[in-house]
Amino acid sequence: MKLRKAGSGARRSDQDEAGSGARGSDQGKAGSGDDKGDQGRPEDERLSIGRSYLYGLQHILTMYGGVIAPPLIVGGAAGLNGTQIAVLVSAALFVSGAATMLQTLGLPYVGAKLPLVQGISFASVSTMVAIASGPDGLNSVFGAIIAAGAIGILITPFFSKIVRFFPPVVTGTIITVIGISLLPVTVRWAMGGDQGAADWGSMSNIGLAGFSLAVVLLVSRFVQGTLSRLSILIGIVVGTGFAFAVGKADFSDVGTGSFFALPEPFAFGAPVFQIGAIISMVVVILVIMTETTADILAVGEIVGTDVDARRVGDGLRADMIATTVAPVFGTFPASAFAQNVGLVAVTGIKSRYVVAAGGSVLLFLGLFPVLGRVVASVPLPVLGGAGIVLFGSVAASGIRTLSKVNFDGNLNLVIVAVALGFGVIPIAVPGFYSAFPEWVHVVFDSGISAASIVAVVLNIAFNVLTKGNKASPSVVTAAPPVATRHHST
C-alpha cells in the first residue's frame, strides 16, 4: 500500500534545486542493495563527502542540545556526580549517532532510509526521573527501557498499519503541531536556557539570539548556491564568534576531562526489571512510536517521497532496536528528532546520506568527549535564534500540506480545529493534565502525540466510517471564508 502525497507532481521542480547537476551520475549509485526501485528517489541523492559533512554538521548543531538534556536531567535526579553524568552524555551521543546511521542507511527490514536524525527522546524524561528517584535508581530505568523497547519491537508490525489513517488532513495537522511544539524550546534557548540563571531573559541573551537570526536571514536572502543552504550553520558559527567576542561564550571546559573514551557496556551495573517501571515505560514507548510515525510521515511529505506501512514499520523497528540496545551503553530511549525535519525543509537538502554523515559525527563525538565539549560550548541563545527559522519552517510545512486538503462538504475543518486545540493545550498550559491519571498525563502531555491521536481518531470517525454522512455535515464547514469588508462612508 502506497501513500502518494498530495501535490507530488508539482514538487518535482523543488526536488531538482538541490544538487541537480550531480544527480545524473550519482543516482545510479543510490539505493543499491536489497531495495529495488530506490533509484530516482530524492532521498537517495549523493553529494560530495565535503558537502555531506557540512550539511550533516548543521543537523548535529541543531539537535545537540536536545541530545544532552535528558542525561543531564536524569543523571541529576539519580544523584550521579559530574564524571558519571559525563559518561551518560557520551553514551547518548554515541547511541544517537549509531541509531541515526541505522535509520538512514538501513538494513533489511530495519530503517526508513529517510533523512531522519535519531536522538535521545525527551518524551521519556519525566517518567525516567520518577523511576530514577526510586530505590534502584538508574538501574531500574535501564531495565524498564530494555523491556519496553523489546515490546515496541514486537508490536511494530501492528503499529505501522495505522499509516493508512494518516491522510493529508492528519499529517498536515501533526506537522503543524510539531513545529508549534518546538517553538517554545527555541524561545527558552533565546532567553538563556536556564530559568534560574541571573541573565535569564536578559537583553544580552535575546539580542544574541536576534543577531544569529539576522545572520541566517541575511545569508538566506543575499547568498546564493551552496552557502545559502548552510545559512543555519553560518548563523550558528558567526553567532558563536560574536558571543565569544562580547564575553557570552565560554570554552574553558573544553580541555577538562578525557580526550578519548570507548563506551563501557553496563558501566552503571546490571539493569533491574520492575513491573511498575516497565508498565510506565511501555506507555512512554507508545508515545515515542506515535511521534516517530508522525516524523516519518512529515519528512516523507517534505522530501516528496512515498511512505507506506512497510517503510513506517522499518523506521519504527530501527527506533525500537536502538531504544532496546541503548541501556547496554548507558543511555535512554531513542526517537526521531522533529527539529531536524525542519532543517530538511529549510535547506532543501533531502539526501539521507547527508544525515548519515551527521550520524557518524555524533558517533565520533561520543568517542571523543573533547569534541563534544566544543559543540556544547555553543551558547543556547545562538541556537535559539537559528531555531526560529528551523522550527517555524516545520509549522509552515504543515500549513502547506493543509492547503491541499479539501474542506468543502466534509468535517475536515473540525478535525484540524480540534486536533490543533489538543496539540496546543500542553504547550500553552503545561500543567493542564497534572490532575489526570498518570497514563493520561504521559500520553497527552506531549502536544505531538495528543494531536496525532485526536486527528487519527476524528479522521476515522468522520472520513473512514462514512455511514450516515450528510452533504453539509456541520455549520462549521458551511461557514464562508473570512473576508475583509470595505464599508463606504
Side-chain angles (χ1 to χ4, degrees):
M1 179 201 71
K2 296 279 185 183
L3 283 184
R4 178 72 64 179
K5 302 297 181 185
S8 58
R11 190 174 292 116
R12 187 61 54 193
S13 61
D14 293 338
Q15 295 167 4
D16 291 340
E17 293 178 6
S20 57
R23 185 171 298 160
S25 59
D26 290 342
Q27 291 277 345
K29 304 173 188 176
S32 60
D34 64 336
D35 271 357
K36 301 176 181 178
D38 279 0
Q39 289 82 357
R41 301 187 312 188
E43 65 270 29
D44 293 321
E45 179 187 6
R46 292 180 184 268
L47 307 180
S48 67
I49 292 178
R51 292 175 67 199
S52 294
Y53 274 94
L54 273 176
Y55 294 136
L57 183 59
Q58 281 194 127
H59 279 284
I60 302 314
L61 289 172
T62 300
M63 54 85 73
Y64 189 88
V67 170
I68 66 174
L72 292 175
I73 296 170
V74 178
L80 302 185
N81 59 40
T83 302
Q84 291 171 317
I85 291 177
V87 173
L88 287 181
V89 170
S90 292
L93 296 171
F94 180 83
V95 170
S96 296
T100 297
M101 296 176 73
L102 179 64
Q103 186 71 271
T104 53
L105 301 179
L107 295 171
Y109 306 105
V110 179
K113 297 183 179 179
L114 285 166
L116 279 169
V117 174
Q118 298 285 125
I120 304 306
S121 172
F122 205 86
S124 59
V125 167
S126 59
T127 300
M128 291 191 297
V129 166
I131 298 173
S133 302
D136 292 302
L138 209 55
N139 301 88
S140 58
V141 173
F142 292 145
I145 295 171
I146 292 172
I151 293 172
I153 295 173
L154 292 176
I155 67 174
T156 287
F158 309 101
F159 198 91
S160 63
K161 299 300 181 184
I162 69 171
V163 69
R164 68 189 184 94
F165 299 119
F166 284 79
V169 67
V170 174
T171 57
T173 302
I174 294 171
I175 296 168
T176 302
V177 171
I178 288 174
I180 294 173
S181 67
L182 290 170
L183 286 173
V185 175
T186 198
V187 172
R188 286 192 290 270
W189 285 352
M191 297 178 72
D194 183 4
Q195 194 166 355
D199 65 347
W200 167 259
S202 65
M203 285 306 300
S204 61
N205 283 341
I206 297 174
L208 181 56
F211 176 83
S212 301
L213 173 60
V215 173
V216 174
L217 295 177
L218 288 171
V219 172
S220 300
R221 174 64 179 85
F222 295 108
V223 179
Q224 303 297 320
T226 299
L227 283 179
S228 68
R229 298 184 184 276
L230 292 171
S231 59
I232 301 297
L233 178 59
I234 293 172
I236 292 172
V237 171
V238 174
T240 301
F242 178 75
F244 182 76
V246 298
K248 295 286 290 182
D250 183 10
F251 292 91
S252 61
D253 290 335
V254 171
T256 62
S258 59
F259 181 83
F260 174 86
L262 288 172
E264 179 185 349
F266 298 114
F268 297 92
V272 175
F273 299 93
Q274 295 178 338
I275 185 64
I278 292 172
I279 292 173
S280 298
M281 194 57 65
V282 167
V283 176
V284 173
I285 289 299
L286 293 175
V287 172
I288 290 174
M289 293 177 76
T290 302
E291 292 185 348
T292 296
T293 299
D295 289 333
I296 291 172
L297 294 171
V299 80
E301 173 70 25
I302 290 169
V303 168
T305 192
D306 289 325
V307 176
D308 57 15
R310 174 175 173 178
R311 202 166 193 187
V312 171
D314 291 348
L316 290 175
R317 202 168 289 112
D319 214 25
M320 291 299 101
I321 289 174
T323 293
T324 306
V325 174
V328 175
F329 296 101
T331 192
F332 311 122
S335 68
F337 266 41
Q339 54 261 52
N340 294 89
V341 175
L343 187 57
V344 174
V346 169
T347 64
I349 301 298
K350 304 169 183 178
S351 170
R352 60 191 173 101
Y353 299 106
V354 164
V355 177
S360 70
V361 172
L362 264 182
L363 190 147
F364 192 74
L365 290 174
L367 295 176
F368 291 86
V370 63
L371 298 177
R373 292 191 292 271
V374 171
V375 179
S377 298
V378 175
L380 286 179
V382 172
L383 296 177
I388 293 291
V389 178
L390 282 175
F391 303 161
S393 68
V394 180
S397 295
I399 294 170
R400 182 178 63 182
T401 300
L402 288 173
S403 70
K404 303 165 188 171
V405 175
N406 178 22
F407 290 100
D408 296 328
N410 54 49
L411 286 165
N412 283 338
L413 193 64
V414 177
I415 295 173
V416 175
V418 177
L420 280 176
F422 271 84
V424 169
I425 284 174
I427 303 169
V429 187
F432 183 85
Y433 294 107
S434 58
F436 285 71
E438 181 64 21
W439 69 269
V440 176
H441 183 269
V442 170
V443 173
F444 284 88
D445 205 39
S446 164
I448 298 172
S449 61
S452 300
I453 292 169
V454 172
V456 169
V457 170
L458 291 184
N459 178 65
I460 293 172
F462 295 162
N463 292 332
V464 177
L465 305 176
T466 56
K467 185 177 181 180
N469 281 7
K470 299 179 181 179
S472 297
S474 170
V475 293
V476 176
T477 60
V482 176
T484 302
R485 296 179 179 272
H486 299 277
H487 298 282
S488 58
T489 55

Coordinates of all heavy atoms in Angstrom, one line a residue, residues 54-55 58 62 211-223 225-239 343 346-349 385-386 389-390:
L54 N 29.4 18.9 5.8 CA 29.0 20.3 6.1 C 27.5 20.4 6.5 O 27.1 20.9 7.5 CB 29.3 21.3 5.0 CG 30.7 21.9 4.9 CD1 30.9 22.7 3.7 CD2 31.0 22.7 6.2
Y55 N 26.7 19.8 5.6 CA 25.2 19.8 5.8 C 24.9 18.9 7.0 O 24.0 19.2 7.8 CB 24.5 19.3 4.6 CG 24.6 20.2 3.4 CD1 24.8 19.7 2.1 CD2 24.4 21.6 3.5 CE1 24.9 20.6 1.0 CE2 24.5 22.5 2.4 CZ 24.8 21.9 1.2 OH 24.9 22.8 0.1
Q58 N 25.3 20.7 10.3 CA 24.2 21.6 10.6 C 23.1 20.8 11.4 O 22.6 21.3 12.4 CB 23.5 22.1 9.4 CG 24.2 23.3 8.7 CD 23.3 23.9 7.7 OE1 23.1 25.1 7.8 NE2 22.7 23.2 6.8
T62 N 22.0 21.5 15.4 CA 20.6 21.8 15.6 C 20.1 20.9 16.8 O 19.3 21.4 17.6 CB 19.8 21.5 14.3 OG1 20.3 22.3 13.3 CG2 18.3 21.7 14.6
F211 N 20.7 38.5 16.8 CA 21.9 38.6 15.9 C 22.0 37.3 15.1 O 22.2 37.4 13.9 CB 23.2 38.9 16.8 CG 24.4 38.9 15.9 CD1 24.8 40.1 15.3 CD2 25.2 37.8 15.8 CE1 25.9 40.1 14.5 CE2 26.4 37.8 15.1 CZ 26.7 39.0 14.4
S212 N 22.0 36.2 15.7 CA 22.1 34.9 15.0 C 21.0 34.7 14.0 O 21.2 34.3 12.8 CB 22.1 33.7 16.0 OG 23.1 33.8 16.9
L213 N 19.7 35.1 14.4 CA 18.6 35.1 13.4 C 18.9 36.0 12.2 O 18.6 35.6 11.1 CB 17.3 35.4 14.2 CG 16.1 35.6 13.3 CD1 15.7 34.3 12.6 CD2 14.9 36.1 14.1
A214 N 19.4 37.2 12.5 CA 19.6 38.1 11.4 C 20.7 37.6 10.5 O 20.5 37.8 9.2 CB 20.1 39.5 12.0
V215 N 21.7 36.9 11.0 CA 22.7 36.3 10.1 C 22.1 35.3 9.2 O 22.4 35.2 8.0 CB 23.9 35.7 10.9 CG1 24.8 35.0 10.0 CG2 24.6 36.8 11.7
V216 N 21.3 34.4 9.8 CA 20.6 33.4 9.0 C 19.8 34.0 7.9 O 19.8 33.6 6.7 CB 19.7 32.5 9.9 CG1 18.9 31.5 9.0 CG2 20.6 31.7 10.9
L217 N 19.0 35.0 8.2 CA 18.1 35.7 7.2 C 18.9 36.4 6.2 O 18.6 36.3 5.0 CB 17.2 36.7 8.0 CG 16.2 36.1 9.0 CD1 15.4 37.2 9.6 CD2 15.3 35.1 8.3
L218 N 20.0 37.1 6.5 CA 20.8 37.8 5.6 C 21.5 36.8 4.6 O 21.5 37.1 3.4 CB 21.9 38.6 6.3 CG 21.4 39.9 7.0 CD1 22.5 40.5 7.8 CD2 20.8 40.9 6.0
V219 N 22.0 35.7 5.1 CA 22.6 34.7 4.3 C 21.6 34.1 3.3 O 21.8 33.9 2.1 CB 23.3 33.6 5.1 CG1 23.8 32.5 4.2 CG2 24.5 34.2 5.9
S220 N 20.4 33.8 3.9 CA 19.3 33.2 3.0 C 18.9 34.2 1.9 O 18.6 33.8 0.8 CB 18.1 32.9 3.9 OG 18.4 32.0 4.9
R221 N 18.9 35.5 2.2 CA 18.4 36.5 1.3 C 19.5 36.9 0.2 O 19.1 37.0 -1.0 CB 18.0 37.7 2.0 CG 17.6 38.9 1.1 CD 16.4 38.6 0.3 NE 16.0 39.8 -0.5 CZ 16.5 40.0 -1.7 NH1 17.5 39.2 -2.2 NH2 16.1 41.1 -2.4
F222 N 20.7 37.0 0.6 CA 21.7 37.6 -0.3 C 22.8 36.6 -0.8 O 23.5 37.0 -1.7 CB 22.4 38.8 0.4 CG 21.5 39.9 0.7 CD1 21.1 40.2 2.0 CD2 20.9 40.7 -0.3 CE1 20.2 41.2 2.3 CE2 20.1 41.7 -0.1 CZ 19.7 42.0 1.2
V223 N 22.9 35.4 -0.2 CA 23.9 34.5 -0.7 C 23.2 33.4 -1.5 O 22.2 32.9 -1.2 CB 24.6 33.9 0.5 CG1 25.7 32.9 0.1 CG2 25.3 35.0 1.4
G225 N 23.6 29.7 -4.0 CA 24.4 28.4 -4.1 C 24.5 27.7 -2.8 O 23.6 27.7 -1.9
T226 N 25.6 26.9 -2.7 CA 25.8 26.0 -1.6 C 25.8 26.8 -0.3 O 25.3 26.3 0.7 CB 27.2 25.3 -1.8 OG1 27.2 24.5 -3.0 CG2 27.4 24.4 -0.6
L227 N 26.4 28.0 -0.2 CA 26.5 28.7 1.0 C 25.1 29.1 1.6 O 24.9 29.1 2.8 CB 27.3 30.0 0.8 CG 28.8 29.8 0.8 CD1 29.5 31.2 0.6 CD2 29.3 29.2 2.1
S228 N 24.1 29.3 0.7 CA 22.8 29.7 1.1 C 22.2 28.5 1.9 O 21.4 28.7 2.8 CB 21.9 30.1 -0.1 OG 21.7 29.0 -0.9
R229 N 22.5 27.3 1.5 CA 22.0 26.1 2.1 C 22.7 25.9 3.5 O 22.2 25.0 4.3 CB 22.1 24.9 1.2 CG 21.3 25.0 -0.1 CD 21.4 23.7 -0.9 NE 20.7 23.9 -2.2 CZ 19.4 23.8 -2.3 NH1 18.7 23.5 -1.3 NH2 18.9 24.0 -3.5
L230 N 23.8 26.6 3.7 CA 24.5 26.5 5.0 C 24.1 27.7 5.9 O 24.8 28.0 6.8 CB 26.0 26.4 4.8 CG 26.5 25.2 4.1 CD1 28.0 25.4 3.7 CD2 26.3 24.0 5.0
S231 N 23.0 28.3 5.6 CA 22.6 29.5 6.4 C 22.5 29.3 7.9 O 22.9 30.1 8.7 CB 21.3 30.1 5.8 OG 20.3 29.2 6.0
I232 N 22.0 28.1 8.3 CA 21.8 27.8 9.7 C 23.2 27.6 10.3 O 23.5 28.2 11.4 CB 21.0 26.6 9.9 CG1 19.6 26.7 9.2 CG2 20.8 26.2 11.4 CD1 18.8 27.8 9.9
L233 N 24.0 26.9 9.7 CA 25.4 26.6 10.2 C 26.2 27.9 10.3 O 26.8 28.2 11.3 CB 26.1 25.6 9.3 CG 27.6 25.3 9.7 CD1 27.7 24.8 11.1 CD2 28.2 24.3 8.7
I234 N 26.1 28.8 9.2 CA 26.8 30.0 9.2 C 26.3 30.9 10.4 O 27.0 31.6 11.1 CB 26.6 30.7 7.9 CG1 27.4 29.9 6.8 CG2 27.2 32.2 7.9 CD1 27.1 30.4 5.4
G235 N 25.0 30.9 10.6 CA 24.4 31.7 11.6 C 24.9 31.3 13.0 O 25.2 32.1 13.9
I236 N 25.0 30.0 13.2 CA 25.5 29.5 14.5 C 26.9 29.8 14.7 O 27.4 30.2 15.8 CB 25.2 27.9 14.5 CG1 23.7 27.6 14.6 CG2 25.9 27.3 15.8 CD1 23.4 26.2 14.5
V237 N 27.8 29.6 13.6 CA 29.2 29.9 13.7 C 29.5 31.4 14.0 O 30.2 31.7 14.9 CB 29.9 29.4 12.5 CG1 31.4 29.8 12.5 CG2 29.9 27.8 12.4
V238 N 28.8 32.2 13.2 CA 29.0 33.6 13.3 C 28.5 34.1 14.7 O 29.1 34.9 15.3 CB 28.4 34.4 12.1 CG1 28.5 35.9 12.4 CG2 29.1 34.0 10.8
G239 N 27.3 33.6 15.0 CA 26.7 34.0 16.3 C 27.6 33.6 17.5 O 27.8 34.3 18.4
L343 N 15.0 21.3 9.5 CA 16.2 21.6 8.8 C 16.1 21.1 7.4 O 16.6 21.8 6.5 CB 17.4 21.1 9.5 CG 18.8 21.5 9.0 CD1 18.9 23.0 9.0 CD2 19.9 20.9 9.9
V346 N 14.1 23.6 5.5 CA 14.8 24.9 5.3 C 15.8 24.9 4.3 O 15.9 25.7 3.4 CB 15.4 25.4 6.7 CG1 16.3 26.6 6.4 CG2 14.3 25.8 7.7
T347 N 16.7 23.8 4.3 CA 17.8 23.8 3.4 C 17.5 23.2 2.0 O 18.1 23.5 1.1 CB 18.9 22.9 4.0 OG1 18.5 21.5 4.2 CG2 19.4 23.4 5.4
G348 N 16.4 22.4 2.0 CA 16.1 21.7 0.7 C 17.0 20.5 0.4 O 16.9 19.9 -0.6
I349 N 17.9 20.2 1.4 CA 18.8 19.1 1.2 C 18.1 17.8 1.7 O 17.9 17.6 2.9 CB 20.1 19.3 1.9 CG1 20.8 20.5 1.4 CG2 21.1 18.1 1.8 CD1 21.2 20.5 0.0
G385 N 18.2 31.7 18.2 CA 17.9 32.5 17.1 C 17.8 31.7 15.8 O 16.9 31.9 15.0
A386 N 18.7 30.7 15.6 CA 18.6 29.8 14.4 C 17.3 29.0 14.5 O 16.7 28.7 13.5 CB 19.8 28.9 14.3
V389 N 13.9 30.0 12.7 CA 13.7 29.6 11.3 C 13.5 28.1 11.2 O 12.6 27.7 10.5 CB 15.0 30.0 10.5 CG1 14.8 29.6 9.0 CG2 15.2 31.5 10.6
L390 N 14.2 27.3 11.9 CA 14.1 25.9 11.8 C 12.8 25.4 12.2 O 12.1 24.7 11.4 CB 15.2 25.2 12.7 CG 16.6 25.2 12.2 CD1 17.5 24.6 13.3 CD2 16.7 24.3 11.0

